[in-house]
Amino acid sequence: MLRQIFSGSFSFYDVVAYLVAVLLIIFLILPFHEWAHAFVAYLLGDKEAKSRGRLTLNPISHIDIVGALAMIFVGFGWAKPVPINPNNFKKPKLGMALCALAGPVANLLAAYVGLIIYYILDRAFPSFFYLNDMINSFFVFYASCNVSLAVFNFIPIPPLDGSKILFAFLPYKAIAFMTKYETIFSLALIFLIFTGGLSTVLGFATNGIFNFLSNMALSPVRFFAELF
């Protein structure tokens, strides 16, 4: 992202819109992502996150400084992991998978709501939106960042959420192996990110899901616009 900003491919308004969107994600959406993990764990019988003050939307309880900086400069960030004890679930593997799934789903929901708000405002104030590139850019950045975070977290590599979803379908020996070498998997993931090894796949998935959510958000707005 910094490369695009310093190369001049982003206008001043794009930069402002991007920073506002990213700050909103850091202080609102990342906490929402972690709260979703904690909430599902609580529903399934695990009180660990609640006892540690993580069943909250308060950003102070969730923000990780390094993850926040990565969100600003790289476009992928994280918050403090929510403590979950799978032994408190009736079905540990299924419980962990559902808790893990809640985070990316929270990001997709946030993107969808943002797109609905965008289309409603666009219909209500078309001339204002047409003239204000910064507002358009803000909603695009906000929604696309959320979709990117969801897609990124769906990667089935430890410690990402996708790995815990994958664990629901693996035998315990395979889970133990992946958990034992989690550090190596994490370093490999970081290497792939910074070398662009995942860019094509992640970009394709992000664009596809973004377009799908955009169409899903536009359809009800069009329907109600025709009624009124």
Side-chain angles (χ1 to χ4, degrees), residues 26-40:
I26 290 172
F27 288 100
L28 180 62
I29 304 304
L30 290 182
F32 179 49
H33 177 111
E34 298 303 325
W35 172 87
H37 288 314
F39 181 66
V40 172

Side-chain angles (χ1 to χ4, degrees), residues 103-143:
V105 168
N107 286 117
L108 295 177
L109 178 61
Y112 181 65
V113 171
L115 288 168
I116 287 180
I117 293 172
Y118 168 75
Y119 285 124
I120 290 174
L121 294 176
D122 186 41
R123 289 275 175 171
F125 310 102
S127 59
F128 177 72
F129 262 67
Y130 178 75
L131 295 173
N132 200 323
D133 290 336
M134 188 166 66
I135 293 179
N136 282 284
S137 295
F138 164 77
F139 278 101
V140 171
F141 286 134
Y142 167 81

Side-chain angles (χ1 to χ4, degrees), residues 1 3 8 12 17 19 24 38 57-58 62 73 83 121-122 132 136 169 178 183 192 205 208 224-225 227:
M1 191 58 65
R3 186 183 303 171
F12 170 77
L19 290 176
L24 182 64
L57 291 172
N58 184 349
H62 298 289
F73 296 114
L121 294 176
D122 186 41
N132 200 323
N136 282 284
F169 305 97
M178 294 185 71
T183 301
L192 289 173
F224 285 106
L227 287 180

